[in-house]
Amino acid sequence: MPAQTRTESPCPTLPGSLTPTTLERFNTDPAEDVERALLACLRSLRWARRLTDHRPYPDLDSLLAAADEAAYDLTPADLSEALAAEALPALPDGVYSAAHMALGAAHAAYESRFGHVFVICVDHTSPDEALNQVLAGIRSRLTNDPEEERVVAAEELRRLAGQRLASYVRGAGPQHSAAPPRGATSHI
């Protein structure tokens, strides 16, 4: 079965562009609705509850700063919870089988070594270069020791969560890119 990758979390979206009304809705929706939406951005109950409990946020920058702070405070168990929940959609059309096989093998080696999917944020990379960046990232990070890689994976997951949250609040919906097999990546 072909390996797959995550290009963006299916964060729920609010209608319209970022306006005071959009952020106001985030700030005033019932806590369980906001938590559910936040869990689609990063599957850490502790992170989602912390952001929900600290509402209201005066602006998007304040919300994203709070999200970063909460992500930095994830425990190893929280990080494991979030990494385990990364969903894996199908590869984009047009991925060459040789690249697919190379990336599948790299992902398998990564998961075998570290026990979780590979996550990387490729937000400043063109879709044409994303596959190469991910493969290079996996190969490079395979040399990390497990604790060092946990720190790197947490940082990448934090960046992904920030992008997903910003997309959610802006109402832009998921942004997709050409991405390699298996693991979480983002390209906005």
Side-chain angles (χ1 to χ4, degrees):
M1 174 171 218
Q4 300 174 330
T5 193
R6 161 53 83 204
T7 56
E8 190 61 33
S9 175
C11 265
T13 59
L14 296 173
S17 61
L18 180 60
T19 64
T21 306
T22 304
L23 187 59
E24 181 180 303
R25 183 171 168 196
F26 176 85
N27 284 329
T28 60
D29 274 353
E32 59 274 3
D33 293 346
V34 172
E35 271 185 27
R36 188 174 25 260
L38 289 169
L39 286 170
C41 297
L42 178 68
R43 185 63 81 173
S44 166
L45 189 55
R46 183 174 182 221
W47 181 84
R49 285 184 176 158
R50 182 168 166 181
L51 291 175
T52 301
D53 291 347
H54 287 95
R55 294 179 303 157
Y57 296 95
D59 53 42
L60 178 60
D61 288 340
S62 298
L63 173 58
L64 293 176
D68 273 356
E69 183 180 330
Y72 283 126
D73 291 342
L74 292 177
T75 66
D78 296 328
L79 179 58
S80 293
E81 173 189 30
L83 286 167
E86 287 295 324
L88 303 169
L91 278 172
D93 292 334
V95 174
Y96 295 108
S97 63
H100 176 89
M101 288 175 57
L103 288 164
H107 278 289
Y110 180 93
E111 286 188 47
S112 174
R113 176 155 167 75
F114 298 113
H116 58 80
V117 297
F118 178 76
V119 291
I120 189 169
C121 183
V122 292
D123 59 342
H124 297 296
T125 305
S126 73
D128 295 338
E129 294 297 319
L131 291 169
N132 290 334
Q133 183 173 340
V134 172
L135 183 56
I138 293 171
R139 288 179 177 158
S140 170
R141 288 169 50 188
L142 275 169
T143 64
N144 291 346
D145 65 58
E147 187 52 38
E148 181 181 24
E149 181 54 26
R150 192 164 198 74
V151 170
V152 173
E155 176 63 16
E156 294 296 323
L157 199 56
R158 181 197 63 79
R159 290 177 59 205
L160 287 167
Q163 287 181 350
R164 293 168 181 166
L165 181 56
S167 179
Y168 162 69
V169 172
R170 288 184 181 121
Q175 303 286 321
H176 298 283
S177 70
R182 202 117 174 102
T185 63
S186 175
H187 183 272
I188 292 186

